[in-house]
Amino acid sequence: MELIQKRVTDPMICQLIRKGLKAKVFTKDQTQYVPELGTPQGGILSPLLSNIYLHEFDNYIASITDEYAKTSTKPPRNPAIEKYYKSKRKKDIYRLKIPYYDPKDVKHLKVSYIRYADDFLIGVTGGRKMAVELREKAAI
């Protein structure tokens, strides 16, 4: 509720959210209970509350991705494809699926973040060490 009160300033709305969290839940066998923790699965408040709660996480990950974007430089062309360009065999580059940029170049870093509901993915172009470091930062 603390995070909700940071984003929602109207006390009436906060009171409605509290009531919605304490509402009775009916099971398939017509028994009822009041949840003590969290929101009931499939409840109408779940998407709203997850977006409010995860907004802080989105901002944190955005700051991390911005940090890596500032240190990144334009990568040089992959040395593995130079011989194909010189010999005019560009079709072989596509056939062999050789990346245009060197994926092991430590100066070219890219971090992408996408979230759908409560699932997220952090994509990393860079070394394994950086990916592990990012995973640890996201776990905080």
Side-chain angles (χ1 to χ4, degrees), residues 16-93:
L16 281 171
I17 290 172
R18 267 194 204 90
K19 285 182 179 181
L21 291 173
K22 298 296 177 189
K24 293 178 182 176
V25 176
F26 293 91
T27 60
K28 287 182 182 179
D29 60 350
Q30 298 303 319
T31 60
Q32 56 183 324
Y33 69 95
V34 177
E36 295 178 27
L37 188 66
T39 63
Q41 186 174 359
I44 196 155
L45 282 176
S46 295
L48 171 73
L49 296 179
S50 72
N51 281 325
I52 291 172
Y53 185 78
L54 290 172
H55 178 72
E56 299 286 327
F57 183 71
D58 293 342
N59 289 339
Y60 175 68
I61 296 296
S63 70
I64 291 172
T65 57
D66 290 345
E67 178 184 314
Y68 282 104
K70 289 176 187 173
T71 61
S72 182
T73 61
K74 185 177 179 186
R77 192 162 35 181
N78 189 347
I81 65 172
E82 287 298 325
K83 66 178 182 179
Y84 294 105
Y85 273 106
K86 288 179 182 174
S87 64
K88 311 262 188 219
R89 294 183 357 207
K90 292 181 183 177
K91 290 180 183 177
D92 290 339
I93 295 170

Side-chain angles (χ1 to χ4, degrees), residues 10-12 20-21 29 35 38 43 46 48-49 64 70-71 90 98 103 107 110 113 115 117 119-121 126:
D10 187 356
M12 292 280 288
L21 291 173
D29 60 350
S46 295
L48 171 73
L49 296 179
I64 291 172
K70 289 176 187 173
T71 61
K90 292 181 183 177
I98 300 172
K107 293 179 184 169
K110 187 174 179 187
Y113 166 72
R115 179 176 67 85
D119 297 320
F120 66 91
L121 180 69

